[in-house]
Amino acid sequence: MTRTVRGAGLLITGAAGGMGRMYAQRAVAERAASVTLWDRDASALARTVDELGTVSQGRTRIHSYVVDLADLGSIAKHAQKVRREVGNPDVLINNAGIVRGNGYFWQTDNGDDTRPTMQVNALAPMYVTREFLPGMIANSYRPARIVNIASAAGTIANPRMATYAASKAALIGWSDSLRVELEQADHTNVKVTTVTPSYVSTGMFSGARGPALAPVLEPGFVVERVWRAMLAGKPLLELPWSVGLSRALRGLLPTRVFDRVVGDGFGVYRSMERFTGRR
């Protein structure tokens, strides 16, 4: 799986639009054996399936399931269906994510904002991976990949997105720990890639401004880099390069100095002031 996913089975969450759909398109173009799409938007999912079916012309089996990733029961039920109807995937791309609220933490709502953000962004990737990872491990003769789309927000503080940052920090910690666990247990056929991009222009972060040295990224660029990292089994992908610089400075500088130099000086702490999100 170093060059292509030809012949492999993929499962992609948040696959009805944005980068999720682009990952699916890439898999079909490379003649994957099957592509399984999970999303909660039934109508958008149906449109994506029609589009992929037209392109694939039967070379790749396309399957879709309407799944609420905030619901553990829905994940378990549909994972069982996938194993029965499609088979265990070789590649799992935990792409789905949400951002809720556009104010300070005390201006958000526990039920409408905090809970769903943590469920979809942090818990769902764990739940979904737990469903399919045993099958990946058991098929030790087949290379397998798990891609977890986190965020640069999980590496440093950012006002007006406290819960989102917390959810992505949790995802990063779990994802890289899982990678090390698999290596320690000698399940070397399964490789985990953690992705920490800055803002991507998919509409999810409309109104947000890219800090200095971290312009808003184009989806096509991100998908290309993620795909290459996934095939290679790269442990960590930081986009752009300045995400790694910020992370390094956070470890080197005293907190107040970091606040002034990176948070205020680079504009990180003001990047969400005009955030509107999808409308």
Side-chain angles (χ1 to χ4, degrees), residues 167-261:
S167 70
K168 293 301 186 177
L171 179 59
I172 292 168
W174 163 75
S175 181
D176 207 41
S177 296
L178 175 62
R179 175 187 65 83
V180 176
E181 287 179 347
L182 288 165
E183 292 173 357
Q184 280 191 351
D186 201 29
H187 297 309
T188 54
N189 67 305
V190 186
K191 299 189 184 302
V192 179
T193 298
T194 307
V195 185
T196 60
S198 186
Y199 299 124
V200 184
S201 60
T202 60
M204 183 174 176
F205 280 100
S206 291
R209 295 175 294 178
L213 306 181
V216 176
L217 302 169
E218 290 298 320
F221 169 78
V222 176
V223 168
E224 172 65 24
R225 293 292 304 276
V226 169
W227 200 260
R228 285 160 46 191
M230 177 267 291
L231 290 173
K234 184 176 180 177
L236 176 65
L237 176 62
E238 297 174 302
L239 295 172
W241 64 271
S242 56
V243 172
L245 173 63
S246 296
R247 185 168 55 83
L249 291 175
R250 184 67 185 87
L252 292 172
L253 298 177
T255 297
R256 293 301 186 189
V257 175
F258 180 87
D259 286 347
R260 289 195 296 271
V261 173

Side-chain angles (χ1 to χ4, degrees), residues 63-94:
H63 303 267
S64 66
Y65 301 84
V66 178
V67 184
D68 180 2
L69 291 176
D71 181 352
L72 174 58
S74 179
I75 291 172
K77 179 179 72 174
H78 289 95
Q80 185 177 26
K81 286 185 177 181
V82 169
R83 287 191 294 267
R84 184 176 65 249
E85 299 171 2
V86 186
N88 205 78
D90 302 301
V91 177
L92 170 61
I93 302 179
N94 284 309

Side-chain angles (χ1 to χ4, degrees), residues 21-89:
R21 181 170 58 188
M22 296 173 74
Y23 294 127
Q25 291 169 337
R26 185 69 177 260
V28 168
E30 293 187 4
R31 298 196 179 188
S34 66
V35 177
T36 301
L37 314 176
W38 278 18
D39 204 285
R40 63 180 180 179
D41 188 333
S43 58
L45 193 58
R47 291 192 297 271
T48 300
V49 170
D50 288 343
E51 173 195 322
L52 294 175
T54 300
V55 174
S56 140
Q57 296 182 340
R59 292 186 294 265
T60 299
R61 293 177 291 131
I62 311 297
H63 303 267
S64 66
Y65 301 84
V66 178
V67 184
D68 180 2
L69 291 176
D71 181 352
L72 174 58
S74 179
I75 291 172
K77 179 179 72 174
H78 289 95
Q80 185 177 26
K81 286 185 177 181
V82 169
R83 287 191 294 267
R84 184 176 65 249
E85 299 171 2
V86 186
N88 205 78

